[in-house]
Amino acid sequence: MSNLTPHLLATQFLELPLNNPLMNASGVWCSVASQLEALTESAAGAMVSKSCTLQPRDGNPEPRYRVLDGENQPFGSINSMGLPNEGFNYYLRYAQRHDYEAKPLFISLSGLTLDDNLTMVDALKDAVLPALLEINLSCPNVPGKSQTGYDFEAMDMMLAEVSSGYQRGFGVKLPPYFDMAHFDEAAEILNRYPLVAFVTCINSIGNALAIDLDSETTLIKPKDGFGGLGGDFVLPTALANVNAFYRRCPEKAIIGCGGVKSGRDAFLHILAGATLVQIGTSLLEEGPGIFPRVQTELAAIMVKKGYQSVDEFRGKLKTL
Ligand code: RRO
């Protein structure tokens, strides 16, 4: 990395100073303490833990993640992990010993019920930590459960209850939306809640089906092969959602997630309005060494274009 890079990429998220705008996507490299420690040591500017439930979960049967390797097809992944995690207390204990000087930590909660979320929110509040709370409204892979982000009434109630329980700023992880009326309605609900300080767009595109031509078989086992899509397939959908909520929620910060494997992709997310940019599939495939690579690529693009800070071009997307 050039000496210029840290200066060029330094930014702020909700007034927290960051060395750079890159972080992991929840679910990738963040399920156990050794992975969280590796992220702390990495060049990422921030980090988030695996979405957790009140009790530990094994998740769905394997194979439950497959990379789509980019040979004869776009690069990406399909997963139906089914929320495997060590349980809320494990991540709370990690959050109590995290080095916040090194980088901010987000804790992602994905309770199976509203009550479970409220129990975890209460405990996190009582712990009085500098960790940032994110509520995952968009896990696509728990059999029999639909995504809260696709049920606007349930989403409204979740935000009302978490706001009154937590009484501090927090964020939500949204599923992708595909209809202008849904962008409008979701944003209108989010804007009712001033404590919703940030919005992460997008979770994986839910319930895709990847098939192996030779064996005529699904690539993953759970849910007859249906799973969340990540990687190249989702970048344009992610950019649309980042930009849609950036335009509609001017008081909130946007975290971009989806299809980032290069400095170019990170630049596009920031141009669309993202303050932080998450890396999922590519981090899983490449490991935490991806952070300095993408930073170097992003800085090179900025130098070429004459930008001296990411704040200069955030949200400055031009239209025809
Ligand atoms: O664990 C998962 O199956 C999972 C979750 Br919680 C999520 O939010 N997004 C995803 O693609 N997989």
Side-chain angles (χ1 to χ4, degrees), residues 65-79 205 208-213 217-220 225 227-234 261 281-282 284-285:
Y65 168 89
R66 282 286 296 272
V67 68
L68 308 164
D69 60 14
E71 282 174 34
N72 303 321
Q73 61 184 345
F75 168 80
S77 66
I78 185 165
N79 89 84
I205 295 184
L209 182 61
I211 301 172
D212 179 65
L213 175 65
T217 306
T218 61
L219 290 190
I220 56 171
L229 197 62
D232 290 346
F233 303 98
V234 314
K261 68 178 180 199
T281 302
S282 295
L284 203 150
E285 294 303 318

Side-chain angles (χ1 to χ4, degrees), residues 8 13 30 58 79 101 129 136 146 194 201 242 264 268 292 303:
L8 274 180
F13 180 78
C30 61
D58 290 337
N79 89 84
E101 298 282 302
L129 296 168
N136 183 357
S146 72
C201 304
V242 166
R264 169 191 174 273
L268 297 181
V303 168

Side-chain angles (χ1 to χ4, degrees), residues 26 50-51 60 79-84 110 136 138-142 173 203-204 228-229:
S26 181
K50 168 71 183 168
S51 288
N60 292 338
N79 89 84
S80 182
M81 305 300 289
L83 209 34
S110 191
N136 183 357
S138 49
C139 175
N141 300 327
V142 178
K173 175 84 168 268
N203 209 316
S204 53
L229 197 62

Side-chain angles (χ1 to χ4, degrees), residues 88 92 95 107 109 119-129 131-134 166 168:
F88 171 70
L92 181 62
I107 297 289
L109 304 184
T119 302
M120 294 189 282
V121 162
D122 261 6
L124 192 61
K125 183 185 174 201
D126 290 348
V128 197
L129 296 168
L132 291 149
L133 165 63
E134 181 177 89
Y166 198 51
R168 292 166 58 184

Side-chain angles (χ1 to χ4, degrees), residues 25 51 71 108 116 134 142 168 174 181 185 187 195 228 258 312 314:
S51 288
E71 282 174 34
S108 172
D116 282 5
E134 181 177 89
V142 178
R168 292 166 58 184
L174 295 179
E185 193 170 351
L195 289 180
E312 270 178 44
R314 179 179 309 109

Side-chain angles (χ1 to χ4, degrees), residues 51-57 83 85 87-89 92 107-125 133-137 142 145 148 157-158 161-162 165-166:
S51 288
C52 65
T53 47
L54 200 46
Q55 303 300 335
R57 280 172 63 87
L83 209 34
N85 76 91
F88 171 70
N89 282 331
L92 181 62
I107 297 289
S108 172
L109 304 184
S110 191
L112 296 177
T113 63
L114 171 60
D115 273 0
D116 282 5
N117 268 339
L118 294 178
T119 302
M120 294 189 282
V121 162
D122 261 6
L124 192 61
K125 183 185 174 201
L133 165 63
E134 181 177 89
I135 305 281
N136 183 357
L137 299 178
V142 178
K145 282 197 72 73
T148 307
M157 189 183 313
M158 178 73 72
E161 298 271 348
V162 173
Y166 198 51

